[in-house]
Amino acid sequence: MIYTLTLNPALDRTLIVEHLKFEDANRVKKELRFAGGKGIDVSRVLNELGHESIALGFVGGYDGMELEGRLLNEGINCDFVKIAEETRINVFIEKERGGKRTSLHAKGPRISPSELAVLYNKVKNLQPSPSWFVMSGSLPPGLSDNIYAQFIHLMRDRGVKVFLDSDGIPLKKGIEAVPFAIKPNLFELERLKGKKFRNNKEIISFGKKLVAKGIKFVLISMAEEGMLLLSDDASLKATPPEVKVKSSIGAGDASVAGFIYAYEKKMSPGDCLKMAIACGTATALTPGTALCKKEDVKRIIKKCKVADVE
Ligand SMILES: Nc1ncnc2c1ncn2[C@@H]1O[C@H](COP(=O)(O)OP(=O)(O)OP(=O)(O)O)[C@@H](O)[C@H]1O
Ligand SMILES: [Mg+2]
């Protein structure tokens, strides 16, 4: 079974307004609500591709219940730990015409030590047993930035493939615990290195150093430029076709799902990479926080190209 872990999920509310001005009343014309969070996005894209997964994480209060109910309605299995504080709400404000948008991201509820212990014990005893354990996104207040590393140790001892997609110190510490796969974007990779890259050669050479630590697949996403895959026996770059982009929010999460989906179908590393970018690029076609559609993925993958890089 594929498990996704979202420690800081959110109920995403998109408010469509005619105009947005300070010191004025801005009327909301339409409102959309979604279950949000990076691991949850991975579960939703796997579901769209026709693959089962179970979403784990923390939810609290009525907003947490709504988040869980929305996932269940989409056909996604959940096994969340209930917490005392309320799940956060992220607000996306979009102008009806002109496509301008802004967003407000809450910090998230504080997780108490006992709530963390409930999650940890759940993860230790997962049934059915995990094949993949995907950990994505930021940490809510109350958790140590060593948490991803701790879960990686737990999962590696059980032979589970861990996919880590995070940023900053949690990513840095997670990498030291050697996950199976990571997918930083260029900004995350630069923060990891502590320095800007001057060219592609530097990016590839830094990625290869991560492979040398024992990470089986280092995927580096570069928005419309596509993605690199570095591993012991392959160094590849996949390029998507040019598309009319609506919003690339969640493109990275969709690529994580695409890669895992293809890997589970026993595809070659090159084809897993193609599936990763096809899901990412298909997500860029959809508005706001909406993720990819299977039909778009099928159409786009035919136009994705993979080549060796050195
Ligand atoms: N503007 C775009 N045009 C075409 N494809 C895109 C675009 N942005 C993203 N993609 C596709 O999605 C993949 C992942 O995108 P990106 O590098 O933006 O991930 P990310 O920064 O982790 O995104 P997020 O964290 O918002 O999910 C890219 O490799 C590419 O295939
Ligand atoms: Mg990302």
Side-chain angles (χ1 to χ4, degrees), residues 199-208 211 218-222 225-239 269-270 273 305-310:
N199 50 47
N200 273 4
K201 211 172 146 206
E202 282 189 5
I203 299 169
I204 294 168
S205 128
F206 186 68
K208 282 189 174 170
V211 173
V218 173
L219 305 172
I220 302 167
S221 70
M222 303 182 295
E225 289 238 355
M227 198 179 291
L228 291 167
L229 176 149
L230 305 169
S231 75
D232 270 343
D233 33 45
S235 300
L236 305 169
K237 181 173 180 202
T239 316
L273 181 62
K305 297 203 165 60
V306 180
D308 287 312
V309 284
E310 255 333 303

Side-chain angles (χ1 to χ4, degrees), residues 266-278:
K266 305 203 171 1
M267 292 188 196
S268 67
D271 285 342
C272 292
L273 181 62
K274 257 193 193 176
M275 188 62 180
I277 65 160

Side-chain angles (χ1 to χ4, degrees), residues 11 32-35 65-76:
L11 190 62
L32 305 165
R33 295 159 82 100
F34 296 100
M65 273 163 66
E66 178 176 340
L67 181 148
E68 187 169 352
R70 284 183 178 277
L71 286 177
L72 291 171
N73 264 342
E74 286 183 40
I76 295 161

Side-chain angles (χ1 to χ4, degrees), residues 11-41:
L11 190 62
D12 287 343
R13 288 176 72 176
T14 301
L15 307 176
I16 320 267
V17 295
E18 219 167 87
H19 65 254
L20 183 63
K21 287 188 197 141
F22 277 100
E23 324 277 345
D24 195 3
N26 300 290
R27 296 204 187 286
V28 175
K29 299 208 74 177
K30 198 169 145 197
E31 183 182 335
L32 305 165
R33 295 159 82 100
F34 296 100
K38 300 187 89 55
I40 285 173
D41 281 352

Side-chain angles (χ1 to χ4, degrees), residues 158-180:
R158 289 164 168 73
V160 181
K161 295 181 281 296
V162 178
F163 202 124
L164 176 63
D165 182 17
S166 190
D167 195 359
I169 312 272
L171 173 63
K172 199 170 208 153
K173 291 194 171 173
I175 281 173
E176 294 311 316
V178 192
F180 183 78

Side-chain angles (χ1 to χ4, degrees), residues 54-107:
I54 299 177
L56 305 171
F58 295 113
V59 293
Y62 281 109
D63 291 329
M65 273 163 66
E66 178 176 340
L67 181 148
E68 187 169 352
R70 284 183 178 277
L71 286 177
L72 291 171
N73 264 342
E74 286 183 40
I76 295 161
N77 308 309
C78 313
D79 191 2
F80 291 115
V81 171
K82 306 290 180 297
I83 56 171
E85 287 190 17
E86 187 103 6
T87 290
R88 67 183 169 146
I89 292 187
N90 289 337
V91 180
F92 298 82
I93 305 169
E94 250 179 60
K95 266 180 83 174
E96 199 179 22
R97 272 181 277 275
K100 274 198 170 169
R101 52 186 286 140
T102 186
S103 54
L104 303 165
H105 296 262
K107 239 197 299 185

